[in-house]
Amino acid sequence: MATLGLENEVVDAAARKSSVAQLKGQNVLLPTTEQLADPSKIPAEITEKLADIDPDEPHPLNLFRVHWFNAADRRSRVEVPNHVVLPKELTGVDAKIVVLFGNRFPMINAHKVLAAYGCLIPRLVTGQFDAAKQRAVWPSTGNYCRGGIAISKLLGCRGVAVLPEGMSEERFNWLDKWTSDTIRTVGTESNVKEIYDKCNELEQDKQNLIFNQFCEFGNYLVHYNVTGTAFKTVFEHLKSERSDLNLAAFVSATGSAGTIAAGDKLKECFGAKIVAAEALECPTMLYNGFGEHNIQGIGDKHVPFIQNVTNSDVVVGVSDHSTDTLNLLFQTDEGRAELRERGIGDDIIEALRDFGLSSICNTLSAIKTAKKLGLGENDVVMTVATDGANLYSTEIEKAKNKYYEGNYTQAQAAQSFDQDLAGADDDNVMVMDERDKNRVFNLGYFTWVEQQGVSVEEFEARRSQDFWVGLRKLIPVWDKMIEEFNAESGVEI
């Protein structure tokens, strides 16, 4: 598994020594994943210094904000991660839909900076990546490559973003401020293979190291440990206020299959079902389908290598028509006026500003899951708002022109509420049996074995849950290596 970030010892002492010197020069201290999972373990002197540091500044200490416990101001810290419990007036279901906010993370206003850090750490501390000499290449459809660029800038190394040219303008505006190394590939959200092709080309230059989130197990493990713990904390908080609550399901669009790894922890702790969401216009898992869509950030046309498919329970398809039009409902004056007439409180309307397109997809998937499984008022379905509406401002005008000839009214907002929210049904929802799980798992063969050169043995090993449970022993190993790395760099705060 040498190419997949699973080393547990130093493989290149010279590269590691070079990186130690590089980070010392940049005054970078690395947080452990234990500290990110439980920020109360971050040293007090670091917490005190963070109070004077802008969360959007490329300051090394902002690495210690790469966790779920940031307050809404993204400067201070909370004991329970920020979340919203959506009311039945909005969701139409008795089950409690609980959404954690990903836009509290530093620098990129999205939780993908955590994934980038999770992919970097095993490569850095084992000497696979020389931060002083190599370029870090970050392929994604938007937020992950921004997270990677942010991490690269903090380390003082050269980061390269690779993403489709059709992604939101806001993503490119951010990148223009942080880097001059942006490669635009053909297509939009659905064109992941084109990203892979470009990375395969870049990989011919050994100065480039590809941090491919779709197959870096550091992505899986950091979300299992850090994101899973955050969701566990929120549910335990809710349960402390109402002891009869049951965590019925955890929902996440698959994307690179990092975030959905939190479901493995929640299933282990509470027996929650794991629900994978995807775009109905490109129903890879549901129907072995293909196509184009605009739910930016969720990926498709393939099954990520780090997706624990055989531990999933449900697959949900959501149309980008619904996410586009609900974005108008949630983020325009006309839509908010309609929400108020429907009895939705201003606190919930304000919280919806923290929902981007994939966040809406996750929420709709949670609603559809609740309907399909017949969940009741004691049941909780948890999901994530991966980023906020500020990353999709230009998508509002696009949706108005696409669906409403540029003229969006409250009457159309009412129609969207009835059709896309209240009208969300349990169609295109598959409760998977063992045959379904193995069918979806097998789809990955064509990407990873035939196209990307993974061995059949490495591919098949992931079918068993023993493989995934075995990965978790790497978490404390890497944390110890982080501590040793910090000790050698001698950086003091």
Side-chain angles (χ1 to χ4, degrees):
M1 292 286 188
T3 61
L4 304 174
L6 287 176
E7 286 74 9
N8 59 9
E9 58 186 18
V10 176
V11 297
D12 189 330
R16 182 180 179 279
K17 183 177 180 180
S18 177
S19 291
V20 167
Q22 170 73 8
L23 269 63
K24 180 177 182 178
Q26 294 295 125
N27 204 37
V28 175
L29 194 66
L30 301 171
T32 64
T33 57
E34 181 183 21
Q35 290 170 329
L36 298 180
D38 181 2
S40 69
K41 296 180 179 179
I42 294 173
E45 57 268 30
I46 292 179
T47 300
E48 291 171 6
K49 287 183 178 294
L50 280 172
D52 297 321
I53 297 172
D54 188 325
D56 291 316
E57 179 184 350
H59 191 290
L61 284 185
N62 268 326
L63 286 175
F64 287 87
R65 282 186 169 129
V66 181
H67 58 68
W68 289 91
F69 290 79
N70 297 307
D73 62 6
R74 297 164 63 238
R75 288 179 175 271
S76 53
R77 208 161 66 208
V78 294
E79 292 185 3
V80 178
N82 282 178
H83 62 280
V84 62
V85 182
L86 298 177
K88 183 178 180 179
E89 291 79 7
L90 183 74
T91 65
V93 296
D94 292 326
K96 291 167 176 55
I97 309 298
V98 179
V99 187
L100 270 66
F101 296 130
N103 64 354
R104 285 11 181 191
F105 280 78
M107 298 175 286
I108 72 168
N109 286 101
H111 79 304
K112 281 290 190 174
V113 69
L114 174 64
Y117 187 72
C119 291
L120 173 83
I121 282 303
R123 299 290 191 175
L124 186 70
V125 299
T126 59
Q128 296 172 84
F129 175 63
D130 187 334
K133 299 177 181 178
Q134 290 182 287
R135 293 179 290 268
V137 180
W138 305 94
S140 81
T141 54
N143 286 336
Y144 171 76
C145 71
R146 294 195 304 120
I149 291 297
I151 297 292
S152 299
K153 195 172 186 69
L154 267 56
L155 270 55
C157 65
R158 184 175 173 185
V160 181
V162 182
L163 74 166
E165 61 188 355
M167 303 311 293
S168 71
E169 184 178 330
E170 288 78 9
R171 283 173 165 83
F172 287 108
N173 290 341
W174 185 95
L175 286 166
D176 288 344
K177 294 177 182 178
W178 281 72
T179 183
S180 59
D181 289 315
T182 300
I183 297 174
R184 303 187 184 209
T185 55
V186 173
T188 56
E189 180 65 32
S190 300
N191 297 96
V192 175
K193 182 180 181 299
E194 287 76 4
I195 300 172
Y196 289 162
D197 291 344
K198 173 54 69 173
C199 286
N200 288 338
E201 176 186 326
L202 293 170
E203 200 169 23
Q204 300 307 306
D205 183 345
K206 297 307 177 184
Q207 291 301 103
N208 295 326
L209 184 65
I210 314 300
F211 288 91
N212 188 340
Q213 60 173 331
F214 299 93
C215 61
E216 292 278 341
F217 284 102
N219 183 12
Y220 170 87
L221 286 170
V222 80
H223 279 296
Y224 170 84
N225 191 32
V226 177
T227 301
T229 299
F231 275 84
K232 180 175 181 285
T233 300
V234 172
F235 179 68
E236 288 175 342
H237 168 72
L238 296 172
K239 195 170 177 65
S240 71
E241 297 179 339
R242 183 173 167 180
S243 61
D244 61 346
L245 291 180
N246 165 57
L247 183 52
F250 170 75
V251 177
S252 174
T254 50
S256 67
T259 307
I260 201 169
D264 284 3
K265 178 176 279 289
L266 298 177
K267 175 176 278 193
E268 176 186 348
C269 293
F270 306 109
K273 293 186 182 301
I274 300 173
V275 182
E278 64 181 356
L280 189 57
E281 286 76 15
C282 189
T284 305
M285 292 179 288
L286 271 176
Y287 305 123
N288 294 13
F290 52 88
E292 302 288 334
H293 69 89
N294 191 46
I295 309 178
Q296 299 186 27
I298 72 171
D300 50 30
K301 284 186 183 172
H302 79 302
V303 178
F305 197 75
I306 64 167
Q307 183 176 344
N308 187 2
V309 174
T310 57
N311 203 34
S312 296
D313 302 286
V314 181
V315 176
V316 179
V318 171
S319 172
D320 68 356
H321 176 279
S322 296
T323 55
D324 283 345
T325 56
L326 288 178
N327 189 42
L328 293 176
L329 176 66
F330 294 166
Q331 310 306 338
T332 64
D333 291 340
E334 296 85 355
R336 292 178 184 132
E338 180 60 26
L339 290 173
R340 290 188 183 94
E341 286 198 11
R342 301 280 182 143
I344 309 301
D346 285 342
D347 57 335
I348 298 298
I349 292 173
E350 187 63 27
L352 293 175
R353 294 180 186 272
D354 295 323
F355 285 49
L357 293 177
S358 60
S359 312
I360 298 171
C361 172
N362 284 341
T363 302
L364 282 176
S365 298
I367 293 169
K368 290 167 73 69
T369 297
K371 291 183 177 181
K372 182 70 173 182
L373 300 181
L375 302 181
E377 61 178 15
N378 296 342
D379 293 312
V380 173
V381 180
M382 303 189 81
T383 190
V384 57
T386 49
D387 53 27
N390 62 314
L391 281 175
Y392 304 97
S393 299
T394 53
E395 295 299 314
I396 289 177
E397 291 305 315
K398 291 180 183 178
K400 286 181 180 179
N401 292 331
K402 182 176 181 179
Y403 299 110
Y404 304 109
E405 297 181 346
N407 182 34
Y408 185 67
T409 66
Q410 187 173 338
Q412 289 162 332
Q415 182 183 34
S416 180
F417 190 106
D418 292 335
Q419 177 178 317
D420 299 302
L421 198 56
D425 54 31
D426 62 1
D427 286 351
N428 303 302
V429 179
M430 175 177 63
V431 178
M432 294 198 289
D433 59 20
E434 289 304 308
R435 181 176 62 180
D436 293 321
K437 294 177 182 183
N438 283 292
R439 175 185 60 78
V440 175
F441 180 91
N442 292 342
L443 285 175
Y445 173 90
F446 304 101
T447 296
W448 299 108
V449 178
E450 291 195 346
Q451 294 178 15
Q452 303 303 320
V454 172
S455 72
V456 173
E457 292 75 19
E458 288 176 328
F459 178 80
E460 276 293 334
R462 301 153 39 259
R463 199 184 296 268
S464 168
Q465 289 309 302
D466 291 342
F467 171 85
W468 300 94
V469 172
L471 289 178
R472 298 169 196 168
K473 67 179 183 293
L474 288 169
I475 295 171
V477 171
W478 288 341
D479 274 355
K480 182 179 179 181
M481 296 182 79
I482 290 172
E483 292 170 348
E484 293 169 347
F485 191 102
N486 286 336
E488 289 183 42
S489 72
V491 172
E492 297 182 358
I493 300 303

